[in-house]
Amino acid sequence: MNNIENKVIVITGASSGLGEASAKALSAKGAILVLAARRLERIDALVEEFSKNGKKALAVQTDVTDFTQMQTLMEEAVNKFGKIDVLLNNAGIMPSTPMMDCDVKAWNQVINVNINGVLNGIAAVLPYFKEQKSGHIINVSSVAAHKIGKGSGIYSATKTAVRAISEGLRMEAKDYNIRTTIISPGVIDTELPNASGIPDESTKQFYQAVAIPADSFARVVEFAISQPEEVDINEILFRPTRQEY
């Protein structure tokens, strides 16, 4: 038993990168997936792929910054599959946000997605987890919550907030048998650096030299979910072996 088979797992940011890799890995282990993203065509294609392999999945177009949409996501998951076992709060953005630029609009965007998006997921799924007295919330932070780089102070702040939110939730959720996990990946080969514009040359070279595939993250997700119910993996920080900071 891998403790993943037949679990209903909701994944935000499932259209690419870490979310897509996790969806593929978990589907292969027999999970029932509810995929959320703004790019509906991408998650529809994943559902079609999984269905051809005899796996169950549902795509729900969702903007994590809209709490009503997140509530609808959870409702559709429960209506379709009867329960939710795991929420992988994965959606996030990593724009360049130097504070010297005073780009308040960009700051607010990264705060809204990376912090409010996580809080919306938690608030939308908790009523179901509290009622069933079980559940697992996995929040994606970053190595940037542990090491702050020049020009990434705002992004690092949001990912530090994810860690604080997750630890606060861990302590409050014990009466409901809810597990919480923070996953803080290092440099992973995804669309993230390109999502908010063209990265500078040094960033591109760094990623080309150091980044590891997104399935490395998927294996960490599998590890956290597959533990026995009495084991709560609270935080995992991992990097490419070649990554210094």
Side-chain angles (χ1 to χ4, degrees):
M1 296 294 292
N2 59 30
N3 208 27
I4 293 174
E5 189 172 9
N6 293 322
K7 280 190 171 179
V8 178
I9 302 175
V10 178
I11 303 176
T12 66
S15 59
S16 65
L18 305 181
E20 180 183 8
S22 297
K24 290 180 176 179
L26 294 167
S27 180
K29 289 290 179 71
I32 300 167
L33 297 177
V34 180
L35 307 180
R38 289 177 298 175
R39 294 179 290 182
L40 181 60
E41 71 283 357
R42 297 285 292 268
I43 52 177
D44 274 342
L46 283 173
V47 169
E48 183 178 356
E49 175 187 334
F50 298 154
S51 297
K52 287 179 180 177
N53 293 324
K55 307 297 185 180
K56 296 178 181 179
L58 172 68
V60 183
Q61 188 173 34
T62 308
D63 180 348
V64 298
T65 66
D66 186 325
F67 179 57
T68 300
Q69 291 189 35
M70 291 296 280
Q71 288 179 305
T72 299
L73 169 65
M74 305 307 169
E75 288 171 4
E76 292 200 26
V78 172
N79 289 340
K80 178 73 173 179
F81 299 120
K83 62 172 182 171
I84 302 170
D85 295 296
V86 181
L87 168 63
L88 175 54
N89 248 335
N90 166 71
I93 58 174
M94 191 180 69
S96 177
T97 53
M99 281 181 274
M100 292 297 101
D101 290 352
C102 299
D103 189 347
V104 175
K105 183 178 179 181
W107 297 352
N108 286 334
Q109 182 185 29
V110 71
I111 290 167
N112 202 20
V113 175
N114 292 1
I115 299 178
N116 293 335
V118 167
L119 288 170
N120 286 340
I122 291 169
V125 82
L126 271 181
Y128 300 99
F129 284 179
K130 288 169 69 176
E131 182 178 359
Q132 67 195 25
K133 291 232 170 167
S134 67
H136 189 175
I137 296 175
I138 302 175
N139 293 326
V140 180
S141 181
S142 170
V143 69
H146 301 261
K147 298 286 186 178
I148 301 170
K150 183 179 179 181
S152 66
I154 304 298
Y155 176 73
S156 291
T158 65
K159 291 304 186 177
T160 301
V162 170
R163 293 185 66 223
I165 290 164
S166 301
E167 176 60 8
L169 176 63
R170 182 192 69 79
M171 292 186 287
E172 292 185 33
K174 290 306 166 190
D175 289 343
Y176 297 95
N177 195 39
I178 297 170
R179 301 193 293 175
T180 64
T181 302
I182 308 161
I183 301 180
S184 297
V187 179
I188 310 294
D189 185 14
T190 70
E191 296 178 3
L192 193 60
N194 302 299
S196 299
I198 300 172
D200 60 57
E201 191 60 34
S202 62
T203 299
K204 289 194 290 185
Q205 290 177 357
F206 179 63
Y207 267 74
Q208 289 170 359
V210 174
I212 54 178
D215 62 6
S216 60
F217 174 85
R219 290 193 298 273
V220 172
V221 171
E222 286 184 43
F223 172 76
I225 296 174
S226 65
Q227 300 305 305
E229 295 303 315
E230 69 270 18
V231 177
D232 192 7
I233 302 296
N234 299 133
E235 184 164 14
I236 300 173
L237 167 62
F238 75 102
R239 299 173 172 90
T241 304
R242 296 185 297 272
Q243 184 174 352
E244 180 180 350
Y245 66 83

